[in-house]
Amino acid sequence: MEALLLAAGLGTRLRPLTNDRPKALVELNGHTLLEYAIQNLTRQGITHIVVNVHHFASKMIDYLSSNSWDIPISISNEEDLLLDTGGGLKKAATLFSGTEPILIHNVDILSHIQFSEMLEFHRQSHSIATLAVSERTTSRQLLFDEHQQLVGWYNNASETYLWTEAQKKQESYRQLAFSGIAIIEPKLTQLLPESDHPYPIIPEYLKIASRHKIGCYI
């Protein structure tokens, strides 16, 4: 399995720590978040990592090139235009083999998820995407039906719903919080709009879920 580390964001919620560096290079106990993520992915058998960059892109490129890593690392450069999570995935897709599942992982997430177990669950469910979720309080929730199929998204603050094209609002669904970790099949990237403009991934997941299985790993 290959992996995309989403590391291009502006890190606004970590200011002032990100006033002079990208959030991926913020340190915890003397190690950057990027180092934690790469080591975790490597330890769990990931064969190739793509890192997307934008905010302080040159610092990210210098950091990645000046360190020795145990597996190949490629850079998807969004220095000219920050593409958000959806556009970022579409742009990075050309750097993958196209034959292996892709683990998508936010760089500022620290997790103990066993990716081999999540991958096996993903394969057995025959999903085009599997989203790692948990039962916790958050302002935004993913909504799943009784078959663990993605049907919607809800923003508690604005009381806004987004639904799949085939789904009408219903009373019976489960609200779960997205962890920022997902496994997708390579063919999902072919269903995304072109990366000539920024767009988030969640609305695209909802469009795709009208025709394909997008499940959850709790």
Side-chain angles (χ1 to χ4, degrees):
M1 185 163 59
E2 300 174 273
L4 171 62
L5 273 178
L6 293 173
L10 301 178
T12 54
R13 288 172 292 182
L14 286 178
R15 289 175 180 165
L17 297 175
T18 51
N19 286 345
D20 62 352
R21 72 191 69 188
K23 65 180 178 181
L25 298 187
V26 170
E27 292 188 357
L28 176 65
N29 294 330
H31 300 276
T32 65
L33 295 178
L34 182 57
E35 181 185 353
Y36 278 114
I38 291 174
Q39 288 184 346
N40 184 34
L41 295 174
T42 302
R43 184 169 55 248
Q44 295 206 50
I46 297 299
T47 59
H48 170 223
I49 298 173
V50 175
V51 182
N52 71 337
V53 301
H54 170 81
H55 189 50
F56 292 105
S58 60
K59 288 189 176 183
M60 286 286 289
I61 294 170
D62 289 346
Y63 181 87
L64 287 167
S65 62
S66 62
N67 285 273
S68 296
W69 310 104
D70 293 332
I71 61 174
I73 295 180
S74 305
I75 293 172
S76 181
N77 197 328
E78 300 176 25
E79 193 168 9
D80 293 335
L81 178 63
L82 180 59
L83 292 170
D84 208 331
T85 49
L89 171 57
K90 181 68 172 184
K91 180 179 175 66
T94 60
L95 299 173
F96 291 107
S97 67
T99 61
E100 298 181 40
I102 301 168
L103 175 76
I104 304 172
H105 196 299
N106 288 354
V107 75
D108 54 354
I109 298 294
L110 299 175
S111 167
H112 295 295
I113 290 178
Q114 295 300 306
F115 299 136
S116 60
E117 295 177 5
M118 184 177 173
L119 177 60
E120 181 62 23
F121 179 90
H122 167 76
R123 285 174 167 161
Q124 289 185 3
S125 69
H126 303 289
S127 298
I128 196 171
T130 299
L131 313 182
V133 296
S134 63
E135 293 182 325
R136 61 179 173 83
T137 302
T138 180
S139 62
R140 292 167 291 183
Q141 301 277 354
L142 294 175
L143 311 177
F144 294 86
D145 66 13
E146 66 272 19
H147 305 293
Q148 295 189 328
Q149 164 73 6
L150 179 68
V151 296
W153 172 90
Y154 178 58
N155 186 317
N156 294 304
S158 63
E159 298 185 345
T160 302
Y161 285 92
L162 293 177
W163 299 98
T164 62
E165 294 173 2
Q167 179 69 25
K168 296 187 182 298
K169 187 174 180 180
Q170 59 178 5
E171 297 301 324
S172 178
Y173 53 77
R174 188 174 184 183
Q175 296 188 20
L176 295 165
F178 184 41
S179 70
I181 299 171
I183 294 176
I184 67 166
E185 292 299 310
K187 64 182 179 181
L188 181 143
T189 64
Q190 301 170 16
L191 304 176
L192 297 175
E194 292 304 315
S195 59
D196 55 354
H197 66 286
Y199 58 88
I201 193 61
I202 295 298
E204 300 305 320
Y205 282 152
L206 290 168
K207 293 175 186 176
I208 293 169
S210 294
R211 303 178 299 281
H212 300 274
K213 174 67 182 295
I214 294 186
C216 60
Y217 179 77
I218 301 174

